[in-house]
Amino acid sequence: MLEVMELSKKYGKNLAADKVGFTVPDGKTGILLGPNGAGKSTVIKSIAGLLNYKGTVRIQGMDSRTQEAKRQFAYVPELPYMYEALTVREHLEFITRAYGVEVSREELLELLEIFELKDKQEKLGGELSKGMMQKVSICCALAIRPRVILLDEPMVGLDPGAIKELKAQLLKRRADGCTILISTHMLEMVKELWDVTFVMDKGKILGTYARESLGNEDLEELYFSVTGQQEGVGQRGQSGQENRAVESSGNGGPEGRER
Amino acid sequence: MGAVRYLYVRTFVNRVRKALRRPGTYVHLVILGFYIFALPFSLKMVTEQAGMDSPQGMAAVLTVYALWVIPANLIAYARRKGLVYRKSDVHFLFPSPVSPKSVLLYAHLKTLTLQLMLNLCVLVFGRMTFSVELWRLCLYFLFSVVVHNLLEGSIMMLLYGSEKLGERQRGMVVKATYGLAGLLVLMALYACLKEGFSWQMLKDFLHSDMVQLVPVAGWYGAVVHLLFTGPTTVNLICTGAYVLLLVVLAAAAWRMNCTGAYYEDAIKFSEDYEEILESRRQGSMGKRPGRRQKVRKAGVRWRGKGAAALFYRQLLEYKKSRFFIFDGGSLASAIAGVGLAWLPIGENSFVLPGASVYVIFIFTALTGKWRKELKSPYTYLIPDTAFRKLLFATAIQHVQGLVNACLFILPGAVAMGLAPDITLLCLLFFVLFSANKLYALAMAEAAGGSTLGRTGKQFLQMLFQSVAIMAAVAGAWAGFAAGGIRAAHVLMNVCLGLVTLIFMIIAMMNFYKMETA
């Protein structure tokens, strides 16, 4: 389970995240949506422990800054950066040592096979294309068998085959009880993955929506109506708050919409 | 093996393997070996002249090092700078359950290889230049690599990683360190005023008890004096203080709680650092860590079509930058020009072109904005000829060459009392040779493509320029034989100009398609 409570982050005078709160339970996939500059990256980086913030983040009930919590948690950043002098195989070896996870050679090979990296094992990080780097980043995250996975725009740079495999892997992990949080703009790509959506703008959570309560409504339609952006035009439309009763507090749970 | 140790060892092994596959590494090793063994002999003469070819001299040099480096490091750590993390560390290491203290040590130990090499050099220099006994040097090696590293690592951990010290307290450490440095300067000034500046006064100051009493940096000097010049009451007390400080700080660092609150500052510094590396790769040398480049408001009247846009875009960028087209190269040219005028160089007018060749061939970088154009696909999409693209992409570089020529040549020409036409010919030579280097670099880019590394391309460029130098020398000889000094200057410029034109035509290849760049 991932719990974010009253998370606030300031850059100088600019409040990038304002008392953000949400929960993604075990075995559920949460999607963090919002226009550019909404504060998604700040929230994601704060959860990953890369930024100092006010508030609380809990991973499986533990403070996210503790090493025990970090052992349960994997992070796939938006832009992958490899160690130039480590091979693909050494990246995996390093990450399993860092997380103290015993992973058999067969398991690692299977993961590399899934993402078509088996023949790239001995390539150095500096020799990989951006798409390959993203695949290695995903493999590293999956290799440590996390209980909570945080993915920031994970589909960017991936080929259709890798996107399909990533979705399959995420569905499998979810079925095993893993908590997943994805920040993305590619709404089409997460259609079949999501259980709960958190829509953010201007550093605040505008609303929390559970899949079962939305019925047939499309994620895209929901996004545009909540943020007030017009589909395809990019102009400010009718405010989402005028159409639906959306809770703007930071305590969104997955229970339902219009709470 | 722990994760951090695994990362450190594998990175080191793979880097060495990769380096051994590059021919340039062996060339570098030969040059390095030559310097390590040749430099101590040449320095021996200098130290003998200065009366510093003794263990006391070594102690004085290492005291200067301590007074310079230790306060600078303290300030860097207190400002949460100075530790270099790469973006890959931010991606993999920071979110992992590796202890944030280990992450700090990892960054500190990244410099260990360099430290070992420098300390080995100190061993060689100590033995060959300062005639220090080997056992004393070995003791110093152990002290520097093990003991001082422990102290510096503890200070780093406490200043950089501490979550109890707020920004205010760290700011106070910075101020205190500046205060200490100021105190040292005042002490040096006092000694200077009292005894008048001389080598002897400087040596006496560096060996003085009051310097050794200065906390941390001075105490390091005391240990060095104890090792190289023998015990005195003051250096024994200060060495004791150094050891006590080490024990206290190491224990405090060991017990300190650290959850990784420094990550945010470390990420900011790593981003700044990578930005600087990237901008240097692109040829811009003006960026400094943590400081945004100041950009002024400026406009430009766009004239011409096609490739002329490259020139006006560059001009606009230069107009927006703080120092316009002036950079470090201009400053260096001015200093070198004044220095040359000050030296007793006689009246031989060929001294100035000779010095120009030396300065441009060895020191001038000439990375500039033209190289950036080769990385941009838009350059190749502009519907214009490759010749015009090359011309407009490099035009401002030639203006810079002229500015540097004036700064470098004119002081010397005035001091030597050269005739105006000879001065003009010397200026033209500087500009032509700068252009020659630029096109030689571009030729090396085109010839080396993606198969040759940076070193290989540099060698190619030097080879090309050697041809140009030979052509200029041949022109000068022919001119001298035909009609004297004026003719020699004219023919030297003509020959250099012709070779440069040929280089320019070959360098055009870069602008045909991106693949050649």
Side-chain angles (χ1 to χ4, degrees), chain A residues 9-11 45 48-53 65 67 70-71 73 75-77 79-87 89-91 93-95 97-99 124 127 136-137 140, chain B residues 1-4 6-7 10-12 14-15 17-18 21 80 86-100 106 259-265 267 271 274:
Chain A
K9 172 70 191 170
K10 260 186 173 182
Y11 294 108
K45 284 179 183 168
L50 301 176
L51 299 177
N52 297 322
Y53 56 85
R65 291 187 192 280
Q67 277 170 264
K70 285 183 174 184
R71 270 196 195 96
F73 169 79
Y75 170 52
V76 178
L79 295 171
Y81 292 100
M82 301 288 110
Y83 286 105
E84 285 180 14
L86 287 196
T87 64
R89 192 176 47 76
E90 285 167 345
H91 271 88
E93 178 74 37
F94 161 65
I95 212 77
R97 280 168 190 260
Y99 282 76
L124 291 172
E127 297 167 356
V136 177
S137 172
C140 286
Chain B
M1 207 195 298
V4 169
Y6 178 82
L7 177 62
R10 291 315 307 166
T11 304
F12 179 76
N14 290 349
R15 284 228 168 103
R17 274 189 192 158
K18 201 175 168 188
R21 283 200 292 267
R80 283 199 172 149
R86 305 305 299 267
K87 284 186 175 173
S88 42
D89 294 321
V90 178
H91 179 161
F92 291 106
L93 207 52
F94 286 11
S96 78
V98 171
S99 139
Y106 160 72
T259 60
Y262 68 85
Y263 284 166
E264 186 172 337
D265 291 326
I267 291 169
E271 282 169 357
E274 300 239 4

Side-chain angles (χ1 to χ4, degrees), chain B residues 24-45:
Chain B
T25 307
Y26 298 96
V27 178
H28 279 138
L29 281 176
V30 170
I31 295 170
L32 191 71
F34 173 76
Y35 270 99
I36 286 178
F37 286 100
L39 214 58
F41 286 111
S42 53
L43 275 180
K44 177 94 181 160
M45 287 186 280

Side-chain angles (χ1 to χ4, degrees), chain B residues 57 100 108 172 196 206 236 265 345 355 382:
Chain B
H108 182 60
M172 280 161 68
L206 292 170
L236 276 173
D265 291 326
I345 46 177
I382 292 172

Side-chain angles (χ1 to χ4, degrees), chain B residues 321-343:
Chain B
S321 76
R322 207 168 157 199
F323 300 108
F324 189 43
I325 58 170
F326 302 100
D327 58 8
S330 320
L331 185 67
S333 297
I335 293 169
V338 173
L340 203 62
W342 181 67
L343 286 172

Side-chain angles (χ1 to χ4, degrees), chain B residues 191-253:
Chain B
C192 199
L193 288 172
K194 201 175 154 197
E195 296 166 32
F197 183 79
S198 66
W199 270 113
Q200 193 53 46
M201 170 255 138
L202 193 63
K203 279 190 285 184
D204 289 345
F205 174 71
L206 292 170
H207 294 308
S208 68
D209 291 345
M210 62 179 178
V211 168
Q212 291 177 41
L213 285 166
V214 172
V216 197
W219 295 348
Y220 180 100
V223 178
V224 165
H225 275 82
L226 176 65
L227 285 173
F228 294 128
T229 63
T232 63
T233 312
V234 170
N235 73 31
L236 276 173
I237 291 170
C238 294
T239 301
Y242 182 96
V243 173
L244 190 67
L245 183 75
L246 167 65
V247 172
V248 170
L249 294 187

